[in-house]
Amino acid sequence: MSTDFPIERIRNFSIIAHIDHGKSTLADRILEKTGALSARESEAQFLDKMDLERERGITIKAQAVRLPYRAKDGQDYQLNLIDTPGHVDFTYEVSRSLAACEGALLVVDAAQGVEAQTLANVYLAVDQNLEIVPVINKIDLPSARPDEIRAEITELVGIDGDTAILASAKTGVGIEEILEAVVTRMPPPPGNREAPLQALVIDSWFDPYRGVICLVKVVHGVMKLKAEIRFGRTEGKEFELLELGCFTPHATKLDRLVAGQVGFFAASVKEVRDAQVGDTVFSASDHKTPALPGFRKIQAMVYAGFFPIISADYEALRDSLEKLRLNDAAFSFEPETSQALGFGFRCGFLGLLHMQIAQERLEREFNASLITTSPTAVYRVTTTDGTVKMVDNPTHLPPPDKIELFEEPVVRVRIHTPSEYVGAVIQLCEDRRGVQENMEYHGTNRVMITYKLPLPEIIYDFFDRLKTMSRGYASMDYELAGYADAKLVRLDVLLNGEGVDALSIIVHKDRAYERGKSLTEKLRKIIPRQQFDVAIQAAIGSRIISRETVKAYRKDVTAKCYGGDISRKRKLLDRQKEGKKRMKQVGRVEIPQEAFLSVLKVDE
Amino acid sequence: MRPVPPVSTRDTGLYIHFPYCEKKCPYCDFNSHVVPHDDAAYADAILRELDARAPAHRLGVGFRTLYFGGGTPSLWDPKEVARVIRTVREGHGLHESAEITLEANPGTVHTRLFEAFVEAGVNRFSIGAQSFVPDELVQLGRIHGAAAGREAVRAARASGARVSLDLIYAQPGQRWSDVERSVETALELEPDHVSAYTLTVEPDTVLGRQHAEGRFIPMEDDEQAELIERVSARLLAAGHRRYEVSSYAREGIEAVHNTLYWVGGGYLGLGAGAHSYLPAPGLAGSRRRGNLKSPALYLDSTRAKHTPAFEEDLSLEIALQDRLMMGVRTIFGLDLRALDEEAGLGGELVSGLGAEVADLEHQGLLLHQDGWIAPTVRGFYFVDLLARRLAAPLREMRELDRPRSPVLE
């Protein structure tokens, strides 16, 4: 249609940058330059929407801003800046954001140079054939060394560093040049507006008033208000487009979105799982057009128990979890009962960061007070009668003599690292029972190592270890690669002879003794002294493998209390009582919240 | 067998605070001031407050006890003390066998003075000896030596009055042999009553500030517990009974006034910083009150409206919590059935506390007999725990929320 914005003058791009290298500031500067946002408005880092993200300094949910730009050639362009999340748990979401782009700005700190985290995303962008425009940011710093950084870009990233734009998001230097490069160096999106509708879901989130909001890129065809649509992965459901729009960065309503454009829609979709990231949107009546490539079903990798500290809060917690699920397709839960902790929920997550974010959101947004048990992978158990059972909770494991085959999930991990850390990376992977599959050199300094690793070995601290030993340069992503037989056992914890089911973990037999010992030591430090001795034992079946004792405290008494002291002494007791509330009583023993997660930190 | 307390919940006591000291001790958080004072003027102020506030109390047979605390009341002119006691007795009723105690500090007393106090009506002295080890007395910031402590106890005894003796132990670095010296000396002096406290760091004291700055490190709890066991064993062997956490006496001569606090009796507190507890029938609406702490401001207040520093009207829950907290400190314990009836709870208190009581009994911390509870010997080491555990179920009791007539009126 003649009124639609010509596709040749649309540019969709994202910014790839290491945390701290100035992505958000640069985005703000671009918004200002195009007039989308006044300097006053730019409220430092507009793109990071949720409080939580701002505090953690990471972007969890993608968002896209439409920017009008009059280029030096005198033409008006429509730029869509698409933001990407930045953690290994969310690699898939990053890849979908990038799939909606034709180009990317690679932002490199002028003093610190290319960082590993950046490289992983650059490779994702290269895989999608994006045009990459390197930007050397913070050139105003006294320690800036742009020439060396240009060489680094050439060598490490494999794109010509001499084409890099020198910029300072702080002072505004180079911003115009960046916008010109977006227009001249990046291609317009391909796309046929006459073809049947195909739109890629880049992101979706729940809005309490309008239901699920989908952020989409229209790849082909047109999306019109009031038209009926369907999602490729959601059978039998059709939705009417009730609202269309784009972010400028404020939400702005539109009548239509056409091929090449990025925008959002609302269609009375009730749950984000009906509008999953990576899915394709079609016209409701169209069942012939194929889905866009690259959809990956979201799969929980780790499970943990969430229990209310006060059992009366169970229903409130269920409500909160339901609300959370509306907004997070990767999150799942079902009721769970623990002998030690009572009624709670078994929850599934993409990874540990995802779990921590969920926990924090529950505590912050829903005011829930939680005990979280240690996260575990999903094991595959074949019993002696031939039944196959998936076990996401150590408590549900059949007795050892009934287990024929005990398999753990295996993941394929790709690690990008500068060559100087290859030795350390291999050491780390071998320590975690890894099997090397491949090792490739890219250029003179970059290595990609592929390992098969048991998932349980990487859930806890693998990523942190990798970062530490490579001084932050190595990066990784992983995907599930089936199941493998392993010598696994359940390690139980007993307090004064009574098993505490919520503290059980599944471990490799060769590690059991070591884990048991460090676990009991850890618990001895965490469990406060009670008025009786507390014996902490780690056991495999009926065999005790380690034991620690928390000695009883011998007094809990105020020496002096007369008529003048009563109000003050009473308040003192009340304060002590408050302190006790954060404890969970298991049998006779009071256990603080953190004990249940201590199982994780055993390697410290 | 249930020990019988020397005083009941229905009795009332009178406390008179004398806020002046020659020197402030670093551990002391009682209301004491090192300033010049006028003995007669202070007595006048006390008597004005007595006139204004005592009639509001239902005294029945009169005050069951009278206690001069401080500060250092032994600095008070015995003539003024005599005038105060006489006025109380004549104008407001003092039980004929009332216990009349006066706190006395070594270094401020001599035989004649004790005799004069006895003539004034005092029949019991509480001597702040604290220790009989010279170095420890220096550490505690006391103005007297060990010999003065011994002399004070002997002189008090010679006056014919009952004598109680205070000891403070569990100073950092102290060994049992050090404590033993003080305990043995104390026993040689044959006091009727011993209050033996472990040194407690209170906020707003010199010691408290040193503690906050890391310059004072208290003795570890385990070591303290060890010393408490030894002190207790030694005093028991000498014929004393441990009737409260830190109080030991021969049976039948316990401190009546202190016991009144623990069993939940009412008391009127007069003088600078003195506290009062005025129980209401049914407990809800019972009132606690604290007088102005500054002697100068207090003196002014007695010429005007007797403005207090604070007043607290207790909800039924808080009133019950206080009774439980204080009740579990002594071997006299408390009768939950009687308390339930007093509060008009129709049995909910007894049933609501049932599980906790049973569990604490099972743990060997509490004696329990037909609704009567008291700490065991082991329980004396966990009195705060008992108080917390017993108070916890109060929050769940629905009866406590029901409006009661005294509140509605």
Side-chain angles (χ1 to χ4, degrees):
Chain A
M1 259 202 221
S2 58
T3 51
D4 290 327
F5 200 90
I7 196 164
E8 313 82 64
R9 284 191 271 122
I10 294 175
R11 299 290 183 275
N12 297 313
F13 71 105
S14 69
I15 303 175
I16 297 170
H18 186 72
I19 287 174
D20 296 338
H21 281 196
K23 178 166 87 169
S24 302
T25 323
L26 183 64
D28 286 349
R29 228 28 98 236
I30 289 173
L31 262 59
E32 264 174 55
K33 190 78 191 172
T34 56
L37 204 62
S38 67
R40 180 188 298 272
E41 246 181 335
S42 75
E43 190 212 344
Q45 309 185 0
F46 187 88
L47 288 185
D48 286 357
K49 196 161 57 174
M50 292 192 272
D51 283 359
L52 192 60
E53 289 177 27
R54 191 159 299 172
E55 276 172 39
R56 286 179 163 256
I58 50 172
T59 310
I60 302 159
K61 284 287 171 194
Q63 203 176 328
V65 183
R66 179 185 288 191
L67 308 163
Y69 177 64
R70 175 159 296 174
K72 285 190 178 148
D73 62 10
Q75 301 262 41
D76 286 323
Y77 286 84
Q78 196 175 84
L79 312 185
N80 287 297
L81 169 54
I82 298 165
D83 202 17
T84 53
H87 186 274
V88 62
D89 281 2
F90 302 101
T91 303
Y92 174 68
E93 297 192 352
V94 177
S95 82
R96 291 307 87 198
S97 301
L98 293 175
C101 300
E102 286 77 48
L105 297 173
L106 166 62
V107 179
V108 181
D109 186 295
Q112 291 179 28
V114 178
E115 301 267 2
Q117 181 91 51
T118 326
L119 284 170
N121 285 351
V122 174
Y123 290 130
L124 282 174
V126 171
D127 284 350
Q128 316 245 12
N129 291 320
L130 266 54
E131 179 66 36
I132 293 166
V133 175
V135 174
I136 299 177
N137 190 26
K138 302 194 186 176
I139 57 153
D140 57 309
L141 290 179
S143 53
R145 41 188 185 96
D147 291 339
E148 286 168 53
I149 306 296
R150 282 184 199 278
E152 251 185 60
I153 291 171
T154 309
E155 191 181 337
L156 291 177
V157 187
I159 51 177
D160 187 357
D162 289 336
T163 64
I165 297 166
L166 300 182
S168 166
K170 199 171 141 202
T171 64
V173 171
I175 303 301
E176 195 161 336
E177 207 183 328
I178 290 170
L179 289 166
E180 282 300 314
V182 168
V183 166
T184 56
R185 284 157 70 174
M186 293 178 189
N192 181 357
R193 290 176 179 174
E194 311 304 322
L197 173 67
Q198 276 175 301
L200 172 71
V201 179
I202 303 169
D203 194 7
S204 61
W205 62 91
F206 186 79
D207 179 290
Y209 300 103
R210 294 173 295 180
V212 174
I213 308 287
C214 289
L215 186 71
V216 289
K217 180 194 183 187
V218 181
V219 177
H220 295 295
V222 179
M223 230 178 200
K224 283 183 227 141
L225 211 53
K226 303 218 169 122
E228 296 278 326
I229 53 125
R230 67 174 184 89
F231 293 91
R233 307 285 153 175
T234 314
E235 291 293 317
K237 287 189 192 170
E238 296 182 357
F239 303 95
E240 185 190 345
L241 290 174
L242 298 174
E243 206 176 323
L244 281 175
C246 65
F247 297 103
T248 66
H250 307 289
T252 305
K253 290 187 183 182
L254 298 170
D255 291 334
R256 49 201 269 130
L257 285 171
V258 297
Q261 287 182 321
V262 174
F264 67 84
F265 70 80
S268 289
V269 180
K270 301 275 187 306
E271 282 188 64
V272 284
R273 61 190 53 231
D274 282 341
Q276 290 190 26
V277 172
D279 202 355
T280 308
V281 179
F282 302 100
S283 290
S285 55
D286 177 6
H287 290 274
K288 286 192 299 240
T289 307
L292 295 164
F295 178 81
R296 200 202 281 177
K297 189 172 179 294
I298 289 172
Q299 198 166 12
M301 292 280 205
V302 296
Y303 286 81
F306 279 18
F307 292 84
I309 289 185
I310 301 156
S311 45
D313 292 345
Y314 177 82
E315 286 303 326
L317 179 59
R318 180 205 293 278
D319 288 350
S320 302
L321 292 173
E322 266 163 16
K323 281 181 195 139
L324 192 66
R325 184 165 63 182
L326 288 177
N327 202 7
D328 186 346
F331 170 75
S332 63
F333 72 92
E334 57 183 51
E336 174 187 0
T337 313
S338 155
Q339 278 177 356
L341 300 177
F343 294 106
F345 300 93
R346 197 76 186 161
C347 304
F349 305 95
L350 294 174
L352 220 55
L353 179 75
H354 185 216
M355 173 178 136
Q356 284 162 4
I357 288 170
Q359 190 182 349
E360 277 182 38
R361 287 190 60 187
L362 286 169
E363 290 185 349
R364 193 177 300 208
E365 293 169 32
F366 305 114
N367 225 350
S369 214
L370 293 178
I371 283 182
T372 312
T373 63
S374 69
T376 175
V378 185
Y379 294 85
R380 187 160 73 189
V381 177
T382 311
T383 50
T384 44
D385 62 6
T387 328
V388 178
K389 192 179 168 191
M390 303 307 283
V391 177
D392 64 18
N393 186 340
T395 317
H396 298 156
L397 213 56
D401 58 321
K402 292 277 185 320
I403 297 176
E404 181 73 36
L405 193 61
F406 198 162
E407 294 170 295
E408 61 188 350
V410 175
V411 288
R412 180 172 292 109
V413 180
R414 269 181 302 273
I415 299 169
H416 291 272
T417 177
S419 50
E420 56 187 302
Y421 303 114
V422 165
V425 169
I426 289 177
Q427 185 64 50
L428 176 67
C429 293
E430 296 290 327
D431 284 351
R432 302 299 177 99
R433 301 191 281 128
V435 178
Q436 200 183 104
E437 286 198 324
N438 195 16
M439 184 151 83
E440 276 173 35
Y441 278 79
H442 298 278
T444 54
N445 191 25
R446 295 294 306 170
V447 184
M448 185 177 85
I449 307 168
T450 311
Y451 258 90
K452 260 193 168 179
L453 280 156
L455 177 63
E457 295 285 344
I458 70 158
I459 288 177
Y460 304 133
D461 58 349
F462 185 84
F463 186 59
D464 291 340
R465 286 290 166 107
L466 182 71
K467 284 285 168 195
T468 310
M469 45 130 277
S470 67
R471 295 169 58 209
Y473 277 91
S475 67
M476 62 174 266
D477 67 74
Y478 62 86
E479 66 194 11
L480 210 52
Y483 277 81
D485 188 13
K487 290 185 290 175
L488 299 168
V489 290
R490 189 176 77 196
L491 187 66
D492 294 322
V493 173
L494 294 83
L495 296 179
N496 282 351
E498 279 180 57
V500 181
D501 55 359
L503 286 172
S504 293
I505 49 173
I506 292 169
V507 292
H508 194 266
K509 208 171 171 185
D510 297 347
R511 303 281 165 84
Y513 175 75
E514 196 187 318
R515 285 295 290 275
K517 197 163 147 32
S518 61
L519 181 54
T520 48
E521 275 169 19
K522 187 99 193 172
L523 287 170
R524 176 174 57 77
K525 289 178 195 148
I526 291 175
I527 293 175
R529 299 171 74 185
Q530 330 253 328
Q531 76 269 21
F532 42 82
D533 285 357
V534 178
I536 305 165
Q537 293 166 307
I540 298 169
S542 58
R543 191 163 56 91
I544 304 294
I545 59 169
S546 69
R547 181 196 158 109
E548 294 278 340
T549 306
V550 178
K551 294 295 287 176
Y553 63 81
R554 291 178 58 186
K555 78 191 243 302
D556 178 2
V557 55
T558 305
K560 229 173 178 174
C561 190
Y562 293 114
D565 303 327
I566 294 171
S567 302
R568 193 162 64 85
K569 295 277 149 66
R570 179 206 312 134
K571 280 169 193 146
L572 213 65
L573 286 184
D574 281 346
R575 262 207 302 286
Q576 291 173 358
K577 205 157 55 188
E578 284 301 311
K580 301 274 173 195
K581 257 169 55 180
R582 263 167 256 128
M583 305 262 211
K584 189 85 188 176
Q585 181 114 8
V586 176
R588 313 188 75 103
V589 185
E590 285 176 330
I591 307 179
Q593 220 174 333
E594 74 228 63
F596 297 95
L597 276 174
S598 68
V599 189
L600 291 183
K601 294 169 192 153
V602 140
D603 289 321
E604 264 173 26
Chain B
M1 198 182 62
R2 297 185 195 183
V4 182
V7 67
S8 98
T9 307
R10 283 175 300 278
D11 286 318
T12 306
L14 178 62
Y15 175 83
I16 294 176
H17 193 80
F18 187 79
Y20 305 105
C21 274
E22 292 198 344
K23 178 173 180 282
K24 178 100 186 164
C25 298
Y27 57 86
C28 171
D29 77 331
F30 288 115
N31 185 35
S32 62
H33 301 264
V34 184
V35 292
H37 57 275
D38 179 334
D39 284 358
Y42 194 74
D44 289 342
I46 292 290
L47 295 178
R48 278 195 296 276
E49 193 189 0
L50 179 72
D51 270 345
R53 294 185 54 220
H57 285 265
R58 299 189 186 90
L59 298 180
V61 291
F63 293 113
R64 184 69 180 69
T65 63
L66 171 53
Y67 193 100
F68 291 93
T72 308
S74 51
L75 291 174
W76 208 353
D77 185 339
K79 287 205 292 283
E80 300 302 332
V81 172
R83 180 154 70 96
V84 170
I85 294 174
R86 195 168 55 242
T87 312
V88 172
R89 178 167 297 167
E90 289 168 1
H92 303 276
L94 195 53
H95 195 276
E96 57 183 28
S97 62
E99 176 194 82
I100 303 177
T101 306
L102 183 128
E103 289 178 348
N105 277 329
T108 66
V109 289
H110 47 84
T111 311
R112 271 296 306 135
L113 190 63
F114 283 118
E115 285 167 6
F117 283 128
V118 169
E119 280 163 31
V122 173
N123 55 25
R124 185 173 179 273
F125 291 107
S126 173
I127 311 289
Q130 318 305 10
S131 166
F132 295 102
V133 177
D135 287 352
E136 291 176 10
L137 288 166
V138 173
Q139 282 296 311
L140 290 170
R142 302 294 292 180
I143 59 169
H144 57 90
R150 285 194 297 269
E151 273 318 302
V153 178
R154 286 198 189 108
R157 280 197 64 84
S159 72
R162 279 185 187 161
V163 175
S164 173
L165 185 155
D166 283 1
L167 290 177
I168 294 178
Y169 65 107
Q171 291 184 51
Q174 204 179 29
R175 287 161 309 183
W176 163 239
S177 56
D178 303 323
V179 184
E180 192 178 24
R181 254 173 89 185
S182 290
V183 173
E184 291 303 333
T185 308
L187 288 172
E188 282 163 21
L189 296 166
E190 300 184 321
D192 301 293
H193 183 282
V194 177
S195 297
Y197 308 104
T198 47
L199 178 61
T200 306
V201 181
E202 301 287 356
D204 300 323
T205 61
V206 171
L207 210 57
R209 282 186 287 281
Q210 289 177 349
H211 179 53
E213 290 161 11
R215 290 187 290 126
F216 176 85
I217 296 154
M219 181 182 276
E220 291 285 334
D221 266 7
D222 284 6
E223 279 182 78
Q224 291 198 24
E226 181 80 35
L227 289 182
I228 296 170
E229 278 172 24
R230 287 172 178 268
V231 167
S232 175
R234 185 64 194 89
L235 291 171
L236 261 57
H240 286 273
R241 182 167 70 160
R242 187 182 188 184
Y243 72 95
E244 189 261 354
V245 173
S246 304
S247 307
Y248 300 81
R250 293 181 202 289
E251 193 171 338
I253 43 178
E254 296 86 8
V256 181
H257 186 81
N258 293 346
T259 305
L260 188 74
Y261 295 141
W262 297 318
V263 301
Y267 48 92
L268 178 65
L270 306 178
H275 286 238
S276 305
Y277 171 55
L278 318 171
L283 283 176
S286 296
R287 173 171 290 191
R288 292 194 185 281
R289 162 194 162 112
N291 283 355
L292 295 169
K293 291 178 91 170
S294 145
L297 292 179
Y298 165 73
L299 286 166
D300 284 349
S301 78
T302 62
R303 287 188 199 90
K305 291 176 181 166
H306 304 278
T307 313
F310 82 90
E311 269 179 328
E312 184 189 18
D313 284 334
L314 308 185
S315 66
L316 180 55
E317 183 186 330
I318 297 292
L320 287 169
Q321 188 181 339
D322 286 357
R323 285 287 289 273
L324 291 165
M325 174 177 89
M326 299 304 273
V328 294
R329 294 189 68 87
T330 74
I331 57 168
F332 310 118
L334 72 168
D335 187 337
L336 294 176
R337 288 184 187 172
L339 187 58
D340 191 302
E341 198 172 317
E342 188 181 345
L345 289 173
E348 194 182 2
L349 181 71
V350 175
S351 62
L353 291 187
E356 289 289 354
V357 167
D359 191 48
L360 293 167
E361 186 187 12
H362 178 74
Q363 287 183 46
L365 300 177
L366 209 59
L367 295 171
H368 177 218
Q369 204 180 78
D370 301 328
W372 171 81
I373 56 169
T376 60
V377 171
R378 192 170 130 69
F380 268 138
Y381 294 83
F382 296 98
V383 161
D384 290 0
L385 173 102
L386 293 176
R388 280 196 305 275
R389 292 276 303 271
L390 292 171
L394 294 179
R395 294 199 178 160
E396 316 290 321
M397 292 184 193
R398 250 174 305 127
E399 265 302 293
L400 298 196
D401 298 330
R402 189 169 59 82
R404 250 155 274 270
S405 48
V407 180
L408 291 178
E409 274 160 15

